[in-house]
Amino acid sequence: LGPIGVFDSGVGGITVLKALKATFPQENFLYLGDTARLPYGTKSPKTVFRYLTQNVEYLKQYDVKAVVVACNSASSVLCPHHTFGVPVYGVIQPGANAAFAKTRTGRIGILGTRTTVQSQVYVKALKNLDPDLFTIQQACPLLVPLVEEGWENDSITTEIIVKYLEEMKQQNIDTLILGCTHYPVVKETIQKVMGEHVQLIDSADAIAEDLANDIAQGFLTFRPEHGGRIDVLATDDGAFFHHIASKLMNPFSINSWEMADLRQVPEKRLYEDI
Ligand code: DGL
């Protein structure tokens, strides 16, 4: 059995990879950052779905035993009836479950990209768990380029977060879903702005738990002796990507870097399963 594939539109999904690595230290992971086509969060669901399919097909060439769609925007276009010939895990349901388990007041906030917010996936997943939950969403598109730029500790980023959270702060929420892979990087600032009484839900931890459950129940085979490699692919080449990815992955290190050419995915395989 091959590695667990993980993909995101860029470097943000490394926060998910790190949580997976911490949970399954002996597993091999193959990460794909679609840096050439980032951001996903401003694109239409149709386009994001095409990217998702291509990425899964690309990772399948490496014999992955499962694919974790770390990207919330890509997870938001994933439907249970889609089959890819390999188990594909999205981050939305695990994130919603974790928020539902944590909330005491039933008032939950959701931060995400425009694609994720407009899709209402988190709202639907939460209302499925309990129709009486109060939800409020906020799209924070500017946070993605700021994190990609490595400006997570810059005062400009704090100012932008304060502005984005203005409305959210009025709504007496007790739980806030960080519905984008990039947001855990600015978690501390978000926590400071919202106050300590608000619990932040990081989909990275939630998906790692979900996978652990599936492994425990035998839905997914896991061979602990595999070796613990982390190989990273990106659709665009860039030293800066390496720098930010290594920083986010710390204390774990990345074993190899390579550029991915998605044109290698045979065109006819792209939609055969859908
Ligand atoms: N990775 C995306 C997500 O989690 C955010 C970045 C983007 O817009 O591509 O939604």
Side-chain angles (χ1 to χ4, degrees):
L1 281 177
I4 292 182
V6 181
F7 86 80
D8 184 41
S9 54
V11 82
I14 297 283
T15 57
V16 175
L17 180 64
K18 187 175 174 179
L20 291 170
K21 170 74 182 167
T23 311
F24 312 107
Q26 295 305 319
E27 185 56 79
N28 287 330
F29 290 99
L30 178 62
Y31 181 88
L32 173 64
D34 195 4
T35 44
R37 302 189 291 194
L38 172 121
Y40 282 16
T42 52
K43 301 201 167 75
S44 70
K46 234 182 181 162
T47 300
V48 174
F49 188 69
R50 185 157 52 84
Y51 292 174
L52 165 98
T53 314
Q54 281 175 337
N55 295 345
V56 172
E57 286 304 323
Y58 188 81
L59 288 168
K60 274 169 68 178
Q61 298 184 131
Y62 291 85
D63 246 353
V64 289
K65 59 169 161 272
V67 174
V68 174
V69 182
C71 181
N72 290 255
S73 308
S75 295
S76 77
V77 298
L78 202 57
C79 289
H81 67 268
H82 295 145
T83 53
F84 295 92
V86 66
V88 173
Y89 291 81
V91 288
I92 308 294
Q93 194 62 49
N97 292 346
F100 184 60
K102 283 265 170 76
T103 186
R104 293 287 158 261
T105 61
R107 299 181 71 82
I108 301 173
I110 301 135
L111 303 180
T113 62
R114 284 226 165 86
T115 304
T116 303
V117 164
Q118 277 166 8
S119 74
Q120 305 254 9
V121 273
Y122 274 113
V123 175
K124 286 178 200 155
L126 287 166
K127 298 270 184 191
N128 264 342
L129 294 167
D130 180 353
D132 291 334
L133 289 174
F134 167 85
T135 58
I136 173 168
Q137 304 192 90
Q138 174 67 53
C140 312
L142 291 175
L143 297 185
V144 172
L146 288 167
V147 168
E148 294 281 328
E149 194 64 20
W151 284 12
E152 64 269 19
N153 295 319
D154 198 285
S155 59
I156 291 173
T157 307
T158 307
E159 224 175 287
I160 288 171
I161 289 174
V162 168
K163 195 164 172 99
Y164 275 143
L165 296 181
E166 238 167 39
E167 170 70 21
M168 197 67 87
K169 278 197 74 168
Q170 310 299 320
Q171 299 295 332
N172 256 329
I173 57 165
D174 78 338
T175 307
L176 179 59
I177 299 176
L178 305 179
C180 172
T181 50
H182 291 66
Y183 303 169
V185 181
V186 287
K187 202 178 190 166
E188 280 169 29
T189 312
I190 294 175
Q191 187 78 70
K192 229 182 257 163
V193 174
M194 289 307 294
E196 286 304 320
H197 62 286
V198 175
Q199 314 177 72
L200 303 186
I201 303 295
D202 185 340
S203 43
D205 298 328
I207 187 70
E209 243 173 72
D210 208 39
L211 230 65
N213 283 340
D214 273 12
I215 288 165
Q217 289 177 24
F219 294 138
L220 191 62
T221 316
F222 173 61
R223 299 243 173 88
E225 71 278 12
H226 255 196
R229 276 190 70 82
I230 295 186
D231 297 297
V232 172
L233 302 163
T235 50
D236 191 17
D237 202 12
F240 198 59
F241 172 79
H242 297 189
H243 168 70
I244 304 280
S246 306
K247 195 171 85 176
L248 293 181
M249 200 60 200
N250 186 42
F252 305 114
S253 47
I254 292 164
N255 293 92
S256 81
W257 303 90
E258 223 177 280
M259 195 164 155
D261 185 355
L262 295 192
R263 286 171 310 177
Q264 284 171 16
V265 180
E267 205 49 47
K268 65 172 180 38
R269 280 176 52 191
L270 285 181
Y271 295 98
E272 71 184 0
D273 293 330
I274 293 148

